[in-house]
Amino acid sequence: MPINADIHYQKAEDEYNDASTTEEKIKALQNMISKAPSHKGAEMLRKNLKTRLAKLKSSLEKSSRKGSFQKFNFKKEGAATVALVGTVNSGKSTLLKGLTNANVLIASYPFTTKKPEFGVLDYYGVKIQLVEIPAIVNNFLNTNDGKSLLGIINSCDLVVLLFNTPSDKKILDVELFDIKVKKIIYIEHENIKDKIWKNLDLIKIYTKEPGKPKAYPPVALDKGNTVRDLGLKVHKDFIKNFDYSIVNGNSAKFKNMRCGLKHVLKDDDIVEFHIKK
Ligand SMILES: Nc1nc2c(ncn2[C@@H]2O[C@H](COP(=O)(O)OP(=O)(O)OP(=O)(O)O)[C@@H](O)[C@H]2O)c(=O)[nH]1
Ligand SMILES: [Mg+2]
């Protein structure tokens, strides 16, 4: 016990030593800080306690972040990840099954899907990960898995919302009002694959060797990316020894346009790299 510390401090310290979880330790440490002697001689003690508290808080935050993803074994894969989010029986699993290879259960009773279900959508060779989130209900964040599921939703590049009735839509609006996703779309039964692709802000680019047909699958890039970005993704040597490229497709002003590294590409372009001999 430090000099001049009183009985209250001693009690808080005992609680700290007895604490078994990080949360309990944080609480006890905050108590110790508030009860620590305020004179100059105890300055070092107060500083040490605060450092210890900061470390505990950051380790708690890290483990809860990790936990939210590990709980469901979620790992982002592919060019982008899209969440299928909706109220009960809104057809999330039907959509997932229709668009991907996922073998999910579809049934007319509510809450058929109890954990996130994954599938891979193949868009002209570009792999896009889809994840069905179990149905969103009133007060969703306070349900057992609410926070973990929200963590998954927030890490996605696009959210597709599904619902059956206006009151279901209201549930989604209320429960998801502060999600941090770049983009949210509603799906009507139009050409869903194309709609998802259009909203991902990606482009698919084909590479090609001189004298050969275009290579498959295409490479997914962000909209606005250049020949340089493509080269970096395909083979770094293309950029190191770059001479010029031949571009055909939507960004080419004419057939076999000769372009430098800064040329901005468009969806479905075909690019041939020429390197210095
Ligand atoms: N609303 C709606 N229902 C559909 C559609 N397609 C199929 N269904 C039927 O709706 C019921 C629920 O479909 P699911 O795909 O399991 O719905 P879900 O949203 O995954 O349901 P939960 O996982 O239980 O929340 C099934 O009986 C389906 O046959 C659709 O496009 N819209
Ligand atoms: Mg389902």
Side-chain angles (χ1 to χ4, degrees):
M1 186 155 95
I3 305 157
N4 289 341
D6 64 11
I7 182 92
H8 300 295
Y9 179 86
Q10 180 62 58
K11 203 167 157 249
E13 190 171 32
D14 290 346
E15 273 167 16
Y16 176 79
N17 290 332
D18 289 343
S20 54
T21 67
T22 310
E23 283 95 336
E24 282 170 15
K25 275 193 193 306
I26 288 176
K27 213 171 143 209
L29 207 48
Q30 282 166 334
N31 208 9
M32 277 170 79
I33 291 169
S34 75
K35 304 282 173 0
S38 55
H39 60 78
K40 200 154 170 56
E43 204 170 336
M44 209 49 207
L45 169 78
R46 292 194 299 273
K47 211 173 141 206
N48 284 341
L49 291 175
K50 281 181 187 158
T51 309
R52 221 188 298 169
L53 178 66
K55 273 191 193 147
L56 278 178
K57 277 186 171 169
S58 110
S59 97
L60 181 68
E61 201 190 302
K62 256 188 225 140
S63 74
S64 73
R65 229 184 296 145
K66 215 159 84 195
S68 70
F69 290 90
Q70 275 182 347
K71 187 167 188 176
F72 297 116
N73 231 344
F74 171 58
K75 205 172 120 239
K76 282 185 88 169
E77 272 165 12
T81 304
V82 178
L84 305 178
V85 179
T87 43
V88 287
N89 276 340
S90 55
K92 304 179 291 297
S93 297
T94 306
L95 187 60
L96 181 69
K97 199 164 183 172
L99 294 176
T100 73
N101 50 355
N103 191 16
V104 282
L105 194 60
I106 296 170
S108 57
Y109 56 86
F111 305 109
T112 313
T113 307
K114 295 194 169 47
K115 60 174 184 52
E117 294 285 352
F118 300 91
V120 177
L121 163 65
D122 186 305
Y123 193 81
Y124 296 99
V126 176
K127 307 286 189 212
I128 295 165
Q129 184 183 39
L130 298 194
V131 47
E132 175 188 358
I133 304 293
I136 304 295
V137 292
N138 278 322
N139 220 353
F140 155 75
L141 260 191
N142 292 329
T143 58
N144 252 349
D145 296 332
K147 287 205 175 68
S148 310
L149 295 174
L150 187 72
I152 294 180
I153 296 174
N154 276 335
S155 74
C156 289
D157 303 288
L158 174 70
V159 168
V160 174
L161 290 183
L162 296 102
F163 53 91
N164 290 319
T165 62
S167 75
D168 281 355
K169 180 177 184 293
K170 205 160 168 212
I171 293 177
L172 297 180
D173 289 344
V174 170
E175 297 302 323
L176 303 170
F177 83 102
D178 94 6
I179 55 175
K180 296 172 181 66
V181 175
K182 272 195 288 189
K183 220 166 205 177
I184 301 167
I185 55 171
Y186 296 98
I187 288 271
E188 285 148 67
H189 291 261
E190 58 210 77
N191 201 339
I192 293 167
K193 265 191 173 190
D194 291 336
K195 186 159 181 183
I196 287 177
W197 175 257
K198 239 170 69 194
N199 279 282
L200 280 174
D201 290 330
L202 295 176
I203 51 175
K204 53 188 181 317
I205 307 294
Y206 298 87
T207 55
K208 172 182 178 308
E209 282 179 49
K212 288 195 181 166
K214 65 182 183 185
Y216 193 85
V219 179
L221 295 176
D222 291 328
K223 266 185 193 157
N225 273 185
T226 60
V227 170
R228 168 192 284 279
D229 296 313
L230 175 67
L232 287 174
K233 204 143 186 185
V234 177
H235 201 308
K236 288 202 177 73
D237 285 354
F238 284 172
I239 299 305
K240 226 165 60 195
N241 306 317
F242 183 81
D243 191 0
Y244 64 94
S245 70
I246 298 288
V247 178
N248 279 290
N250 290 320
S251 78
K253 292 197 184 78
F254 45 85
K255 207 167 168 244
N256 294 331
M257 186 178 175
R258 201 174 154 128
C259 298
L261 289 173
K262 287 186 184 151
H263 177 78
V264 176
L265 296 166
K266 288 201 174 139
D267 199 25
D268 287 332
D269 276 352
I270 302 165
V271 180
E272 206 176 280
F273 280 94
H274 289 259
I275 54 177
K276 283 183 201 132
K277 298 261 159 24

